[in-house]
Amino acid sequence: MSEATTATMHPSSQSAFDIVMKNFDHAARYVEIDPGYAELIKSIDREVRVEIPTRMDNGELRVFIGYRVQHNNARGAYKGGIRYHQDVDLDEVRALAALMTLKTAVVGIPYGGGKGGVTVDPRTLSATELERMTRMFIDKIDPIIGPQEDIPAPDVNTNAQVMAWMMDEYSRRHGHTPGIVTGKPIELGGSQGRAEATGRGAVIILREAAKTYGIDLHHSTVAIQGFGNVGSYAAWTLDEMGVKIVGISDVSGAIVNSDGVNIPAAINHLKNHPTLEGFEGGERMTNEELLELECDVLIPAALGRVITVENADKIKARMIVEGANEPITGRADAILNDKGVVVLPDILANAGGVTVSYFEWVQNLQQFHWELEEVRDKLEKILVNSFQHIYEIAQKHKISLRLAAYVLAIERLEKATRLRGV
Ligand code: GLU
């Protein structure tokens, strides 16, 4: 295991970590915070880079690189997902870890923030190769994780099955430890309502914001970029509410239909196909075109930094719900703000996932199970309160909802840090 200190940069945009830090500095002006404390909260507690030797099915040995970044634990154990993607780098994992610190503070759950990632395109691995790589990664980060230390979860391209392997691998050394990861299958201590939580949470925040800003969702159109865990559950929840979705997309491209995309049919298509390729429900477009589609609400729910200075001006939506983490670069955010687009920030809009992760962990520690209704009710309360709180801060200081969310998080982090002492 080795400590890494260098960061790389996304080829076409700002450094992911820099965007978070700039927002932090901007928001900190609205908080009475001692500069030393601001520095302490911003800085990364620990970052680990590991090599993950993995035997392929044909006997060949491949070495993948993985990271776990522990950003801050002033309010509780480090918490955050693990992403498998070919573009994962230290800069991105740092940004995502810092966002988790802010996110858990925004919704007031007793965690800090961390994130992990492996630079790999998981589509190139068989299930057995993926399992071996996952177990080896856990092996390598075992010394720094634990149910009271650092609790991983799913993120881009990781799911309940991957969490099951992680829990199993950790439990081989430490005894049965369901609380080591969240987002597990229900059969292994996963929570009711966890799979749907991020998408459902994004819709709860959208519903509250639409009410507040006078947008009638039943006469609105929505476009969703990404049809993975977040995008598909957001689509499903909106469809159940009777809201028209005019465009969806995944790695294979976008499908657009001004009469509304048939969401149950799209979800059904994915039961027998790896992607939306071949789904005949509308006109084919690119992911880039989908972002610029004529619609009232846009939900980027795939990867980060997809809305940049290049396309921010061309966005037609009046409201953007950040289902993904950091889908908008700092400069694009300023352009959208100037245009009067209401952006529901990631650290609020996609916080439903980690909130139900918290419920899962509590159930694991108590060795107890909650019903789906209980999970949904508790999630609803937390998110509605958080939205209202952030909206009030935004009104008071005349700032964006993103900055207001940062303000709320920084206030809570500052208090916790001060009370604990340095
Ligand atoms: N990966 C999700 C996120 O970015 C969930 C994290 C968790 O449940 O710990 O919020």
Side-chain angles (χ1 to χ4, degrees):
M1 194 183 303
S2 60
E3 298 277 328
T5 48
T6 51
T8 51
M9 226 165 98
H10 201 259
S12 62
S13 60
Q14 290 168 272
S15 139
F17 187 60
D18 260 16
I19 297 172
V20 182
M21 292 300 108
K22 285 216 171 80
N23 283 327
F24 188 106
D25 289 340
H26 193 170
R29 292 188 218 142
Y30 299 91
V31 183
E32 272 176 42
I33 183 168
D34 177 295
Y37 278 87
E39 223 30 62
L40 184 58
I41 295 166
K42 277 167 69 178
S43 63
I44 293 164
D45 288 356
R46 172 155 64 175
E47 51 193 31
V48 167
R49 174 189 180 279
V50 294
E51 57 180 20
I52 313 166
T54 306
R55 187 70 67 189
M56 296 292 107
D57 293 340
N58 66 4
E60 188 193 318
L61 183 71
R62 281 180 67 185
V63 182
F64 301 101
I65 299 299
Y67 306 94
R68 185 73 187 169
V69 172
Q70 298 179 330
H71 177 259
N72 185 287
N73 66 351
R75 300 183 57 266
Y78 302 105
K79 183 85 189 85
I82 291 179
R83 163 177 302 205
Y84 290 170
H85 195 274
Q86 59 275 21
D87 294 337
V88 161
D89 63 25
L90 184 57
D91 174 58
E92 180 183 75
V93 183
R94 282 173 169 169
L96 295 167
L99 284 174
M100 288 308 301
T101 300
L102 297 159
K103 197 183 296 184
T104 53
V106 157
V107 286
I109 55 175
Y111 287 135
K115 199 81 172 199
V118 179
T119 313
V120 60
D121 180 353
R123 290 172 304 178
T124 64
L125 300 185
S126 70
T128 47
E129 290 165 348
L130 196 66
E131 175 176 352
R132 281 195 290 274
M133 187 198 77
T134 298
R135 288 183 183 278
M136 185 57 87
F137 183 46
I138 289 302
D139 221 52
K140 292 295 180 96
I141 62 170
D142 176 284
I144 62 158
I145 60 171
Q148 302 293 343
E149 301 294 327
D150 184 352
I151 306 136
D155 197 73
V156 173
N157 292 334
T158 52
N159 57 18
Q161 174 61 76
V162 174
M163 295 307 115
W165 292 327
M166 289 182 177
M167 183 202 77
D168 184 71
E169 190 60 31
Y170 187 86
S171 296
R172 284 153 85 121
R173 274 188 200 74
H174 303 272
H176 184 56
T177 318
I180 181 60
V181 289
T182 58
K184 297 178 293 294
I186 306 261
E187 295 80 358
L188 293 175
S191 179
Q192 296 288 343
R194 175 61 186 87
E196 68 180 25
T198 315
R200 189 182 179 82
V203 174
I204 292 172
I205 296 298
L206 168 59
R207 190 197 63 209
E208 289 305 296
K211 242 191 283 171
T212 308
Y213 289 91
I215 296 178
D216 177 2
L217 283 181
H218 290 101
H219 291 99
S220 301
T221 53
V222 181
I224 305 178
Q225 189 199 38
F227 212 67
N229 175 264
V230 184
S232 67
Y233 276 107
W236 182 71
T237 313
L238 285 168
D239 190 61
E240 293 266 290
M241 285 162 61
V243 179
K244 195 199 271 185
I245 296 155
V246 291
I248 60 172
S249 76
D250 71 3
V251 282
S252 72
I255 293 130
V256 172
N257 188 336
S258 55
D259 293 329
V261 176
N262 184 337
I263 298 302
I267 292 172
N268 215 24
H269 179 90
L270 288 183
K271 289 195 180 127
N272 315 309
H273 303 87
T275 66
L276 290 169
E277 179 94 66
F279 174 63
E280 314 243 333
E283 193 190 329
R284 277 272 159 193
M285 283 191 187
T286 64
N287 262 291
E288 292 70 34
E289 287 166 334
L290 179 94
L291 294 172
E292 297 167 18
L293 196 68
E294 195 69 57
C295 61
D296 300 299
V297 178
L298 176 65
I299 311 184
L303 292 169
R305 292 173 288 165
V306 292
I307 302 177
T308 65
V309 276
E310 306 294 325
N311 60 358
D313 231 1
K314 300 182 200 133
I315 304 283
K316 318 269 187 324
R318 288 186 286 162
M319 191 169 264
I320 300 181
V321 189
E322 293 188 325
N325 286 311
E326 205 181 69
I328 304 178
T329 66
R331 287 192 280 266
D333 207 25
I335 296 172
L336 293 167
N337 261 319
D338 289 346
K339 287 203 331 174
V341 178
V342 177
V343 176
L344 308 178
D346 45 11
I347 56 174
L348 171 67
N350 70 37
V354 73
T355 302
V356 178
S357 274
Y358 166 56
F359 300 158
E360 177 175 332
W361 181 73
V362 168
Q363 292 170 75
N364 293 154
L365 298 185
Q366 297 180 340
Q367 303 190 31
F368 194 69
H369 281 289
W370 301 357
E371 301 293 331
L372 178 61
E373 283 318 305
E374 188 174 357
V375 169
R376 285 182 170 175
D377 284 354
K378 287 193 158 79
L379 174 66
E380 166 89 20
K381 273 196 197 96
I382 288 182
L383 292 183
V384 170
N385 284 341
S386 304
F387 174 79
Q388 278 161 359
H389 204 148
I390 287 166
Y391 180 70
E392 278 160 27
I393 296 172
Q395 291 295 103
K396 180 173 154 204
H397 295 298
K398 299 192 172 34
I399 53 177
S400 67
L401 292 171
R402 186 186 316 281
L403 283 187
Y406 273 68
V407 165
L408 176 60
I410 296 169
E411 280 171 357
R412 288 180 171 164
L413 285 158
E414 193 266 348
K415 272 192 201 117
T417 309
R418 208 174 267 283
L419 285 165
R420 290 178 81 130
V422 178

